[in-house]
Coordinates of all heavy atoms in Angstrom, one line a residue:
M1 N -20.6 116.2 -49.3 CA -20.0 117.0 -50.4 C -18.7 116.4 -50.8 O -18.3 116.6 -51.9 CB -19.8 118.4 -49.8 CG -20.7 119.5 -50.3 SD -21.6 119.3 -51.8 CE -21.4 120.9 -52.5
E2 N -18.0 115.7 -49.8 CA -16.7 115.2 -50.2 C -16.8 114.2 -51.3 O -16.0 114.2 -52.2 CB -16.1 114.5 -48.9 CG -14.7 114.0 -49.1 CD -14.1 113.4 -47.9 OE1 -14.5 113.8 -46.7 OE2 -13.3 112.5 -48.0
I3 N -17.9 113.3 -51.3 CA -18.0 112.3 -52.3 C -18.3 113.0 -53.7 O -17.7 112.6 -54.7 CB -19.2 111.4 -52.0 CG1 -18.8 110.5 -50.8 CG2 -19.5 110.5 -53.2 CD1 -19.9 109.7 -50.2
Y4 N -19.1 114.1 -53.6 CA -19.4 114.8 -54.8 C -18.2 115.5 -55.4 O -18.0 115.4 -56.6 CB -20.5 115.9 -54.5 CG -20.8 116.8 -55.7 CD1 -21.5 116.3 -56.8 CD2 -20.4 118.1 -55.7 CE1 -21.7 117.1 -57.9 CE2 -20.7 118.9 -56.7 CZ -21.3 118.4 -57.8 OH -21.6 119.3 -58.9
N5 N -17.4 116.1 -54.6 CA -16.2 116.7 -55.0 C -15.2 115.7 -55.6 O -14.6 116.0 -56.7 CB -15.5 117.5 -53.9 CG -16.3 118.7 -53.5 OD1 -17.0 119.3 -54.3 ND2 -16.2 119.1 -52.3
S6 N -15.1 114.5 -55.0 CA -14.3 113.5 -55.6 C -14.8 113.0 -56.9 O -14.0 112.8 -57.9 CB -14.3 112.3 -54.6 OG -13.6 111.2 -55.1
Y7 N -16.1 112.9 -57.0 CA -16.8 112.5 -58.3 C -16.4 113.5 -59.4 O -16.0 113.2 -60.5 CB -18.3 112.4 -58.1 CG -19.1 112.5 -59.3 CD1 -19.3 111.3 -60.1 CD2 -19.8 113.6 -59.7 CE1 -20.1 111.3 -61.2 CE2 -20.6 113.7 -60.8 CZ -20.7 112.5 -61.6 OH -21.5 112.5 -62.7
I8 N -16.6 114.8 -59.1 CA -16.3 115.9 -60.1 C -14.8 115.8 -60.5 O -14.5 115.9 -61.7 CB -16.6 117.3 -59.5 CG1 -18.1 117.4 -59.3 CG2 -16.0 118.4 -60.4 CD1 -18.9 117.4 -60.6
T9 N -13.9 115.7 -59.6 CA -12.5 115.6 -59.9 C -12.2 114.4 -60.8 O -11.4 114.5 -61.7 CB -11.7 115.5 -58.6 OG1 -11.9 116.6 -57.8 CG2 -10.2 115.3 -58.9
K10 N -12.8 113.2 -60.5 CA -12.6 112.0 -61.3 C -13.1 112.2 -62.7 O -12.5 111.8 -63.7 CB -13.1 110.8 -60.6 CG -12.3 110.4 -59.4 CD -12.9 109.2 -58.7 CE -12.0 108.9 -57.5 NZ -12.4 107.7 -56.8
I11 N -14.4 112.7 -62.8 CA -15.0 113.0 -64.1 C -14.1 113.9 -65.0 O -13.8 113.6 -66.1 CB -16.4 113.5 -64.0 CG1 -17.4 112.4 -63.4 CG2 -17.0 114.0 -65.3 CD1 -17.6 111.3 -64.3
E12 N -13.8 115.0 -64.4 CA -12.9 116.0 -65.1 C -11.6 115.4 -65.5 O -11.1 115.6 -66.6 CB -12.7 117.3 -64.3 CG -13.9 118.1 -64.2 CD -13.7 119.3 -63.2 OE1 -12.6 119.4 -62.6 OE2 -14.6 120.1 -63.2
G13 N -11.0 114.6 -64.6 CA -9.7 114.0 -64.9 C -9.8 113.0 -66.0 O -9.0 112.9 -66.9
Y14 N -10.9 112.2 -66.0 CA -11.1 111.2 -67.0 C -11.3 111.8 -68.4 O -10.7 111.5 -69.4 CB -12.3 110.3 -66.7 CG -12.6 109.3 -67.8 CD1 -11.9 108.2 -67.9 CD2 -13.7 109.6 -68.7 CE1 -12.1 107.3 -69.0 CE2 -13.9 108.7 -69.7 CZ -13.2 107.5 -69.9 OH -13.4 106.7 -70.9
I15 N -12.2 112.8 -68.4 CA -12.5 113.5 -69.7 C -11.2 114.2 -70.3 O -10.9 114.0 -71.4 CB -13.6 114.6 -69.6 CG1 -14.9 113.8 -69.3 CG2 -13.7 115.5 -70.8 CD1 -16.0 114.8 -68.9
S16 N -10.5 114.9 -69.4 CA -9.2 115.5 -69.8 C -8.2 114.5 -70.3 O -7.6 114.7 -71.4 CB -8.7 116.4 -68.6 OG -7.5 117.0 -69.0
K17 N -8.0 113.4 -69.6 CA -7.1 112.4 -70.0 C -7.4 111.8 -71.3 O -6.5 111.7 -72.2 CB -7.0 111.3 -68.9 CG -6.1 110.2 -69.2 CD -6.2 109.1 -68.2 CE -5.4 107.9 -68.6 NZ -5.7 106.7 -67.9
R18 N -8.6 111.5 -71.5 CA -9.1 110.8 -72.8 C -8.9 111.8 -74.0 O -8.4 111.4 -75.0 CB -10.5 110.4 -72.7 CG -10.7 109.2 -71.8 CD -10.1 107.9 -72.3 NE -10.8 107.5 -73.5 CZ -10.2 106.9 -74.6 NH1 -8.9 106.7 -74.6 NH2 -10.9 106.6 -75.6
L19 N -9.2 113.1 -73.8 CA -9.1 114.1 -74.8 C -7.6 114.3 -75.1 O -7.2 114.5 -76.3 CB -9.8 115.4 -74.5 CG -11.4 115.3 -74.6 CD1 -12.0 116.5 -74.0 CD2 -11.8 115.0 -76.0
K20 N -6.8 114.3 -74.1 CA -5.3 114.5 -74.3 C -4.7 113.3 -75.1 O -3.8 113.5 -75.8 CB -4.6 114.7 -73.0 CG -4.8 116.1 -72.5 CD -4.0 116.3 -71.2 CE -4.3 117.8 -70.7 NZ -3.5 118.0 -69.5
E21 N -5.3 112.1 -74.8 CA -4.8 110.9 -75.6 C -5.2 111.1 -77.1 O -4.4 110.7 -77.9 CB -5.5 109.7 -75.0 CG -4.9 109.3 -73.7 CD -5.7 108.1 -73.1 OE1 -6.7 107.6 -73.7 OE2 -5.4 107.7 -71.9
L22 N -6.3 111.6 -77.3 CA -6.8 111.8 -78.7 C -6.1 113.0 -79.4 O -5.8 113.0 -80.6 CB -8.3 112.0 -78.8 CG -9.1 110.7 -78.3 CD1 -10.6 111.1 -78.2 CD2 -8.9 109.6 -79.3
H23 N -5.9 114.1 -78.6 CA -5.4 115.3 -79.1 C -4.4 115.8 -78.0 O -4.7 116.5 -77.1 CB -6.4 116.4 -79.3 CG -7.5 115.9 -80.3 ND1 -7.3 115.9 -81.6 CD2 -8.8 115.5 -80.1 CE1 -8.4 115.5 -82.2 NE2 -9.3 115.2 -81.3
P24 N -3.1 115.5 -78.2 CA -2.1 115.9 -77.2 C -2.0 117.3 -76.8 O -1.6 117.7 -75.7 CB -0.7 115.4 -77.8 CG -1.2 114.3 -78.8 CD -2.5 114.7 -79.3
S25 N -2.4 118.2 -77.7 CA -2.4 119.7 -77.4 C -3.6 120.2 -76.7 O -3.8 121.4 -76.5 CB -2.1 120.5 -78.6 OG -3.1 120.3 -79.6
F26 N -4.5 119.3 -76.3 CA -5.8 119.6 -75.7 C -5.6 120.4 -74.4 O -4.8 120.0 -73.6 CB -6.7 118.4 -75.5 CG -7.9 118.7 -74.7 CD1 -9.0 119.3 -75.2 CD2 -7.9 118.3 -73.3 CE1 -10.1 119.6 -74.4 CE2 -9.0 118.6 -72.5 CZ -10.1 119.2 -73.1
Q27 N -6.4 121.4 -74.2 CA -6.4 122.2 -72.9 C -7.8 122.4 -72.5 O -8.7 123.0 -73.1 CB -5.8 123.6 -73.2 CG -4.3 123.5 -73.6 CD -3.8 124.9 -73.8 OE1 -4.4 125.9 -73.5 NE2 -2.6 124.9 -74.4
M28 N -8.1 121.8 -71.3 CA -9.5 121.8 -70.8 C -10.0 123.2 -70.6 O -11.2 123.5 -70.9 CB -9.6 121.1 -69.4 CG -11.0 121.0 -68.8 SD -12.2 120.2 -69.8 CE -11.9 118.5 -69.2
D29 N -9.2 124.2 -70.0 CA -9.7 125.5 -69.8 C -10.1 126.2 -71.1 O -11.0 127.0 -71.2 CB -8.7 126.3 -69.0 CG -7.3 126.3 -69.6 OD1 -7.0 125.5 -70.5 OD2 -6.5 127.2 -69.1
L30 N -9.3 125.9 -72.2 CA -9.6 126.5 -73.5 C -11.0 125.9 -74.0 O -11.8 126.7 -74.5 CB -8.5 126.2 -74.5 CG -8.7 126.7 -75.9 CD1 -8.8 128.2 -75.9 CD2 -7.5 126.3 -76.8
L31 N -11.2 124.6 -73.9 CA -12.5 124.0 -74.3 C -13.6 124.6 -73.5 O -14.6 125.0 -74.1 CB -12.4 122.5 -74.0 CG -13.7 121.8 -74.3 CD1 -14.1 121.8 -75.7 CD2 -13.7 120.3 -73.8
L32 N -13.5 124.8 -72.2 CA -14.6 125.3 -71.4 C -14.9 126.8 -71.8 O -16.1 127.1 -71.9 CB -14.2 125.3 -69.9 CG -14.1 123.9 -69.3 CD1 -13.7 123.9 -67.9 CD2 -15.4 123.1 -69.5
S33 N -13.9 127.6 -72.1 CA -14.1 129.0 -72.5 C -14.8 129.0 -73.9 O -15.7 129.8 -74.1 CB -12.9 129.8 -72.4 OG -11.9 129.4 -73.4
M34 N -14.4 128.1 -74.7 CA -15.0 128.0 -76.1 C -16.4 127.6 -76.0 O -17.3 128.2 -76.7 CB -14.2 127.1 -77.0 CG -12.9 127.6 -77.5 SD -11.9 126.4 -78.4 CE -13.0 126.1 -79.8
I35 N -16.8 126.7 -75.1 CA -18.1 126.2 -75.0 C -19.0 127.4 -74.5 O -20.1 127.6 -74.9 CB -18.2 125.0 -74.1 CG1 -17.6 123.8 -74.8 CG2 -19.7 124.7 -73.6 CD1 -17.5 122.5 -73.9
Q36 N -18.5 128.1 -73.5 CA -19.3 129.2 -72.9 C -19.5 130.3 -73.9 O -20.6 130.8 -74.0 CB -18.5 129.7 -71.7 CG -18.6 128.9 -70.5 CD -20.1 128.6 -70.0 OE1 -20.9 129.5 -70.1 NE2 -20.3 127.4 -69.5
S37 N -18.4 130.6 -74.7 CA -18.6 131.7 -75.7 C -19.4 131.3 -76.9 O -19.9 132.2 -77.6 CB -17.2 132.2 -76.1 OG -16.5 131.2 -76.8
R38 N -19.5 130.1 -77.2 CA -20.2 129.6 -78.4 C -21.4 128.7 -78.0 O -21.7 127.8 -78.7 CB -19.3 128.8 -79.3 CG -18.2 129.7 -79.8 CD -17.3 128.9 -80.7 NE -16.2 129.7 -81.3 CZ -15.4 129.2 -82.2 NH1 -15.4 128.0 -82.6 NH2 -14.4 130.0 -82.6
R39 N -22.0 129.0 -76.9 CA -23.0 128.1 -76.4 C -24.1 127.9 -77.4 O -24.7 126.8 -77.5 CB -23.6 128.7 -75.1 CG -24.6 127.8 -74.4 CD -25.0 128.4 -73.0 NE -25.9 127.5 -72.4 CZ -26.3 127.6 -71.2 NH1 -25.9 128.5 -70.4 NH2 -27.2 126.7 -70.7
D40 N -24.5 128.9 -78.2 CA -25.6 128.8 -79.1 C -25.2 127.9 -80.3 O -26.0 127.5 -81.1 CB -26.0 130.2 -79.6 CG -24.9 131.0 -80.2 OD1 -23.7 130.8 -79.8 OD2 -25.1 131.8 -81.1
E41 N -23.8 127.6 -80.5 CA -23.4 126.7 -81.5 C -23.2 125.3 -81.1 O -23.0 124.4 -81.9 CB -22.0 127.2 -82.1 CG -22.1 128.6 -82.7 CD -20.7 129.1 -83.1 OE1 -19.9 128.3 -83.5 OE2 -20.5 130.4 -82.9
V42 N -23.3 125.0 -79.8 CA -23.1 123.7 -79.3 C -24.4 122.9 -79.3 O -25.5 123.5 -78.9 CB -22.5 123.8 -77.8 CG1 -22.4 122.4 -77.2 CG2 -21.2 124.5 -77.8
D43 N -24.4 121.7 -79.7 CA -25.6 120.8 -79.7 C -26.2 120.8 -78.3 O -25.5 120.5 -77.3 CB -25.2 119.4 -80.1 CG -26.4 118.4 -80.1 OD1 -27.5 118.8 -79.7 OD2 -26.1 117.3 -80.4
P44 N -27.4 121.2 -78.1 CA -28.1 121.3 -76.8 C -28.0 120.0 -76.0 O -27.7 120.1 -74.8 CB -29.5 121.6 -77.1 CG -29.5 122.2 -78.4 CD -28.4 121.6 -79.2
E45 N -28.1 118.9 -76.6 CA -28.0 117.6 -75.9 C -26.5 117.4 -75.3 O -26.4 117.0 -74.2 CB -28.3 116.4 -76.8 CG -29.8 116.2 -76.9 CD -30.1 114.9 -77.6 OE1 -29.5 113.9 -77.3 OE2 -31.0 114.9 -78.5
L46 N -25.5 117.8 -76.1 CA -24.1 117.7 -75.6 C -23.9 118.7 -74.5 O -23.3 118.3 -73.5 CB -23.2 118.0 -76.8 CG -21.7 118.1 -76.4 CD1 -21.2 116.7 -75.9 CD2 -20.9 118.5 -77.6
F47 N -24.4 119.9 -74.6 CA -24.2 120.9 -73.6 C -24.9 120.4 -72.3 O -24.4 120.5 -71.2 CB -24.8 122.2 -74.0 CG -24.5 123.3 -73.0 CD1 -23.2 123.9 -73.1 CD2 -25.4 123.7 -72.0 CE1 -22.9 124.9 -72.2 CE2 -25.0 124.7 -71.1 CZ -23.8 125.3 -71.2
D48 N -26.1 119.9 -72.4 CA -26.8 119.3 -71.2 C -26.1 118.2 -70.6 O -26.0 118.1 -69.3 CB -28.3 118.9 -71.6 CG -29.2 120.1 -71.9 OD1 -28.8 121.2 -71.6 OD2 -30.3 119.8 -72.5
T49 N -25.6 117.3 -71.4 CA -24.8 116.2 -70.9 C -23.6 116.7 -70.1 O -23.3 116.2 -69.0 CB -24.4 115.2 -72.0 OG1 -25.5 114.7 -72.6 CG2 -23.5 114.1 -71.4
L50 N -22.8 117.6 -70.7 CA -21.6 118.1 -70.0 C -22.0 118.9 -68.7 O -21.4 118.7 -67.7 CB -20.9 119.0 -71.0 CG -20.2 118.4 -72.2 CD1 -19.6 119.4 -73.1 CD2 -19.1 117.4 -71.7
A51 N -23.1 119.6 -68.8 CA -23.5 120.4 -67.6 C -24.0 119.5 -66.5 O -23.8 119.8 -65.3 CB -24.6 121.4 -68.0
S52 N -24.6 118.3 -66.9 CA -25.1 117.4 -65.9 C -24.1 116.8 -65.0 O -24.3 116.4 -63.9 CB -26.0 116.3 -66.5 OG -25.1 115.4 -67.2
F53 N -22.8 116.7 -65.5 CA -21.7 116.2 -64.8 C -21.4 117.0 -63.5 O -21.0 116.5 -62.5 CB -20.4 116.0 -65.6 CG -20.5 115.0 -66.6 CD1 -20.1 115.2 -67.9 CD2 -20.9 113.7 -66.3 CE1 -20.1 114.2 -68.9 CE2 -21.0 112.7 -67.3 CZ -20.6 113.0 -68.6
A54 N -21.8 118.3 -63.6 CA -21.5 119.2 -62.5 C -22.7 119.6 -61.7 O -22.7 120.5 -60.8 CB -20.8 120.5 -63.0
D55 N -23.8 118.9 -62.0 CA -25.1 119.2 -61.3 C -25.2 118.4 -60.0 O -25.4 117.2 -60.1 CB -26.2 118.9 -62.3 CG -27.6 119.3 -61.7 OD1 -27.7 119.5 -60.5 OD2 -28.5 119.4 -62.5
F56 N -25.1 119.0 -58.9 CA -25.1 118.3 -57.6 C -26.4 117.6 -57.4 O -26.5 116.5 -56.9 CB -24.8 119.2 -56.4 CG -24.9 118.5 -55.1 CD1 -23.9 117.6 -54.7 CD2 -26.0 118.7 -54.3 CE1 -24.0 117.0 -53.5 CE2 -26.1 118.0 -53.1 CZ -25.1 117.2 -52.7
V57 N -27.5 118.3 -57.7 CA -28.9 117.7 -57.5 C -29.0 116.4 -58.3 O -29.5 115.4 -57.8 CB -30.0 118.7 -57.8 CG1 -31.4 118.0 -57.7 CG2 -29.9 119.9 -56.8
L58 N -28.6 116.5 -59.5 CA -28.6 115.3 -60.4 C -27.7 114.2 -59.9 O -28.1 113.0 -59.8 CB -28.2 115.6 -61.8 CG -28.3 114.5 -62.8 CD1 -29.7 113.9 -63.0 CD2 -27.8 115.0 -64.2
F59 N -26.6 114.5 -59.4 CA -25.7 113.6 -58.8 C -26.3 112.9 -57.6 O -26.3 111.7 -57.4 CB -24.4 114.3 -58.4 CG -23.5 113.4 -57.5 CD1 -22.6 112.4 -58.1 CD2 -23.4 113.5 -56.2 CE1 -21.8 111.6 -57.4 CE2 -22.6 112.7 -55.4 CZ -21.8 111.8 -56.0
K60 N -26.9 113.7 -56.7 CA -27.6 113.2 -55.5 C -28.7 112.2 -55.9 O -28.8 111.2 -55.3 CB -28.1 114.4 -54.7 CG -28.8 113.9 -53.4 CD -29.3 115.1 -52.6 CE -30.1 114.7 -51.5 NZ -30.7 115.9 -50.8
E61 N -29.5 112.6 -56.9 CA -30.6 111.8 -57.3 C -30.1 110.5 -57.9 O -30.7 109.4 -57.6 CB -31.5 112.5 -58.4 CG -32.3 113.6 -57.8 CD -33.0 114.4 -58.9 OE1 -33.0 114.0 -60.1 OE2 -33.7 115.4 -58.5
T62 N -29.0 110.5 -58.7 CA -28.4 109.3 -59.3 C -28.0 108.4 -58.2 O -28.2 107.2 -58.2 CB -27.3 109.7 -60.2 OG1 -27.8 110.6 -61.2 CG2 -26.7 108.5 -60.8
M63 N -27.3 108.9 -57.2 CA -26.8 108.1 -56.1 C -27.9 107.5 -55.3 O -27.8 106.3 -54.9 CB -25.8 108.9 -55.2 CG -24.5 109.3 -55.8 SD -23.5 108.0 -56.4 CE -23.7 108.1 -58.2
L64 N -28.9 108.3 -55.0 CA -30.1 107.7 -54.2 C -30.8 106.7 -55.0 O -31.2 105.6 -54.5 CB -31.0 108.9 -53.8 CG -30.5 109.8 -52.8 CD1 -31.4 111.0 -52.5 CD2 -30.1 109.1 -51.5
N65 N -31.0 106.9 -56.3 CA -31.6 105.8 -57.2 C -30.8 104.6 -57.2 O -31.3 103.5 -57.1 CB -31.8 106.4 -58.6 CG -33.0 107.4 -58.7 OD1 -33.8 107.4 -57.8 ND2 -32.9 108.2 -59.7
Y66 N -29.5 104.7 -57.3 CA -28.6 103.5 -57.3 C -28.7 102.8 -56.0 O -28.9 101.6 -56.0 CB -27.1 104.0 -57.5 CG -26.2 102.8 -57.3 CD1 -26.0 101.9 -58.3 CD2 -25.5 102.7 -56.2 CE1 -25.2 100.8 -58.1 CE2 -24.6 101.6 -56.0 CZ -24.5 100.7 -56.9 OH -23.6 99.6 -56.7
K67 N -28.7 103.5 -54.9 CA -28.8 102.9 -53.6 C -30.1 102.2 -53.4 O -30.2 101.0 -53.0 CB -28.6 103.9 -52.5 CG -28.6 103.3 -51.1 CD -28.5 104.4 -50.0 CE -28.5 103.9 -48.6 NZ -29.6 103.0 -48.2
S68 N -31.2 102.8 -53.8 CA -32.5 102.2 -53.8 C -32.6 100.9 -54.6 O -33.1 99.9 -54.1 CB -33.6 103.2 -54.2 OG -34.8 102.6 -54.2
Q69 N -32.1 101.0 -55.8 CA -32.1 99.8 -56.7 C -31.2 98.7 -56.1 O -31.6 97.6 -56.1 CB -31.5 100.2 -58.1 CG -31.5 99.1 -59.0 CD -31.0 99.5 -60.4 OE1 -30.6 100.6 -60.6 NE2 -31.0 98.5 -61.3
R70 N -30.1 99.0 -55.6 CA -29.2 98.1 -55.0 C -29.9 97.4 -53.8 O -29.8 96.2 -53.6 CB -27.9 98.7 -54.5 CG -26.9 97.7 -54.0 CD -25.8 98.3 -53.2 NE -26.3 99.0 -52.1 CZ -25.8 99.9 -51.4 NH1 -24.6 100.4 -51.7 NH2 -26.4 100.5 -50.3
D71 N -30.5 98.2 -52.9 CA -31.2 97.7 -51.8 C -32.3 96.8 -52.2 O -32.6 95.7 -51.6 CB -31.7 98.8 -50.9 CG -30.5 99.6 -50.2 OD1 -29.4 99.1 -50.2 OD2 -30.8 100.6 -49.6
N72 N -33.1 97.1 -53.2 CA -34.2 96.3 -53.7 C -33.7 95.0 -54.2 O -34.3 93.9 -54.0 CB -35.0 97.0 -54.7 CG -35.9 98.1 -54.2 OD1 -36.2 98.1 -53.0 ND2 -36.2 99.1 -55.0
E73 N -32.6 95.0 -54.9 CA -32.0 93.8 -55.5 C -31.5 92.9 -54.4 O -31.7 91.7 -54.4 CB -30.9 94.1 -56.5 CG -31.4 94.7 -57.8 CD -30.3 95.1 -58.7 OE1 -29.1 95.0 -58.4 OE2 -30.7 95.7 -59.8
M74 N -30.9 93.5 -53.4 CA -30.4 92.7 -52.3 C -31.5 92.0 -51.5 O -31.4 90.9 -51.0 CB -29.6 93.5 -51.3 CG -28.3 94.1 -51.9 SD -27.1 92.8 -52.4 CE -26.6 92.3 -50.8
G75 N -32.7 92.6 -51.4 CA -33.8 92.1 -50.8 C -34.5 90.9 -51.5 O -35.2 90.2 -50.9
E76 N -34.1 90.7 -52.8 CA -34.7 89.7 -53.5 C -34.1 88.3 -53.3 O -34.6 87.3 -53.7 CB -34.7 90.0 -55.0 CG -35.6 91.2 -55.4 CD -35.5 91.6 -56.8 OE1 -34.8 90.9 -57.6 OE2 -36.0 92.6 -57.2
F77 N -32.9 88.3 -52.7 CA -32.2 87.1 -52.5 C -32.8 86.4 -51.3 O -33.0 87.0 -50.3 CB -30.7 87.3 -52.3 CG -30.0 87.8 -53.5 CD1 -29.5 89.1 -53.5 CD2 -29.7 87.0 -54.6 CE1 -28.8 89.6 -54.7 CE2 -29.1 87.4 -55.7 CZ -28.6 88.7 -55.7
P78 N -32.9 85.0 -51.4 CA -33.5 84.3 -50.3 C -32.4 84.2 -49.2 O -31.2 84.3 -49.4 CB -33.7 82.9 -50.9 CG -32.8 82.8 -52.0 CD -32.7 84.2 -52.6
T79 N -32.9 84.1 -48.0 CA -32.0 83.9 -46.8 C -31.4 82.6 -46.9 O -32.0 81.6 -47.1 CB -32.8 84.1 -45.5 OG1 -33.5 85.3 -45.5 CG2 -31.9 84.0 -44.3
L80 N -30.1 82.6 -46.7 CA -29.3 81.3 -46.8 C -29.2 80.8 -45.4 O -28.9 81.5 -44.5 CB -27.9 81.5 -47.4 CG -27.9 82.1 -48.8 CD1 -26.5 82.3 -49.3 CD2 -28.5 81.0 -49.8
V81 N -29.4 79.5 -45.3 CA -29.3 78.8 -44.0 C -28.1 77.9 -44.1 O -28.0 77.0 -45.0 CB -30.5 78.0 -43.6 CG1 -30.3 77.3 -42.3 CG2 -31.7 78.9 -43.5
V82 N -27.1 78.1 -43.3 CA -25.9 77.3 -43.3 C -25.9 76.3 -42.2 O -26.1 76.7 -41.0 CB -24.6 78.2 -43.3 CG1 -23.4 77.3 -43.3 CG2 -24.6 79.2 -44.4
T83 N -25.8 75.0 -42.5 CA -25.7 74.0 -41.5 C -24.4 73.3 -41.5 O -23.7 73.4 -42.5 CB -26.8 73.0 -41.6 OG1 -26.7 72.4 -42.9 CG2 -28.2 73.6 -41.5
S84 N -24.0 72.8 -40.4 CA -22.7 72.1 -40.3 C -22.7 70.9 -41.2 O -23.6 70.1 -41.2 CB -22.4 71.7 -38.9 OG -21.2 71.0 -38.8
M85 N -21.6 70.8 -42.0 CA -21.4 69.6 -42.8 C -20.9 68.4 -42.0 O -21.0 67.3 -42.4 CB -20.4 69.9 -43.9 CG -20.9 71.0 -44.9 SD -22.2 70.4 -46.0 CE -21.3 69.2 -47.0
A86 N -20.4 68.6 -40.8 CA -19.8 67.6 -40.0 C -20.8 66.6 -39.6 O -20.5 65.4 -39.4 CB -19.1 68.2 -38.8
C87 N -22.1 66.9 -39.5 CA -23.1 66.0 -39.0 C -23.3 64.8 -39.9 O -23.7 63.8 -39.5 CB -24.4 66.7 -38.6 SG -25.2 67.4 -40.1
G88 N -23.0 65.0 -41.2 CA -23.3 63.9 -42.1 C -22.0 63.2 -42.5 O -22.0 62.2 -43.3
L89 N -20.8 63.6 -42.0 CA -19.6 62.9 -42.4 C -19.3 61.8 -41.4 O -19.5 61.8 -40.2 CB -18.5 63.9 -42.3 CG -18.5 65.1 -43.3 CD1 -17.4 66.0 -43.1 CD2 -18.5 64.6 -44.8
P90 N -18.8 60.7 -42.0 CA -18.4 59.6 -41.1 C -17.2 60.0 -40.2 O -16.3 60.7 -40.6 CB -18.0 58.5 -42.1 CG -17.8 59.1 -43.4 CD -18.5 60.4 -43.4
R91 N -17.2 59.5 -39.0 CA -16.1 59.8 -38.1 C -15.0 58.8 -38.2 O -15.2 57.6 -38.5 CB -16.6 59.8 -36.6 CG -17.6 60.9 -36.4 CD -18.0 60.9 -35.0 NE -18.9 62.0 -34.8 CZ -19.2 62.5 -33.6 NH1 -18.7 62.0 -32.5 NH2 -20.0 63.5 -33.5
S92 N -13.8 59.3 -38.1 CA -12.7 58.4 -38.3 C -12.1 57.9 -37.0 O -12.4 58.3 -35.9 CB -11.6 59.1 -39.1 OG -11.3 60.4 -38.6

């Protein structure tokens, strides 16, 4: 849960920071209350995207998929064999 909480904090911080850069008077709590009170006026895809940031199950699935993909990609690399270069060098 610690990783998930860190993820949520970073996502919220990033969104808030970027919106404040665009609109200095931006207030996250005001935006959230407006979205909740006008849910029927918000584009469903936008609402789903915003809601997915706080969905633990989706976060868990994303992380597991990433790990699986990473592990599969790592398995595709051939094993490297390192031999000593000293055996082919002339001795001084």
Side-chain angles (χ1 to χ4, degrees):
M1 253 340 224
E2 184 178 331
I3 293 171
Y4 175 70
N5 290 334
S6 175
Y7 163 80
I8 292 295
T9 301
K10 287 180 182 183
I11 289 292
E12 287 176 354
Y14 175 78
I15 292 171
S16 183
K17 178 183 173 194
R18 291 292 291 141
L19 288 171
K20 283 182 182 180
E21 288 172 2
L22 297 171
H23 302 283
S25 62
F26 171 76
Q27 296 176 14
M28 180 64 84
D29 54 345
L30 180 60
L31 173 65
L32 295 175
S33 67
M34 286 175 61
I35 289 173
Q36 287 298 327
S37 67
R38 298 180 178 185
R39 187 173 180 171
D40 57 328
E41 298 174 36
V42 177
D43 179 359
E45 281 189 42
L46 174 63
F47 189 83
D48 289 344
T49 300
L50 292 173
S52 72
F53 289 132
D55 184 340
F56 177 74
V57 173
L58 182 59
F59 171 79
K60 180 180 173 184
E61 288 174 4
T62 301
M63 293 299 109
L64 291 174
N65 286 338
Y66 171 78
K67 182 182 182 308
S68 176
Q69 181 180 3
R70 184 196 66 199
D71 291 348
N72 287 338
E73 289 174 2
M74 294 299 287
E76 293 175 7
F77 292 110
T79 303
L80 298 176
V81 177
V82 178
T83 58
S84 173
M85 296 289 289
C87 64
L89 296 176
R91 293 184 177 196
S92 48

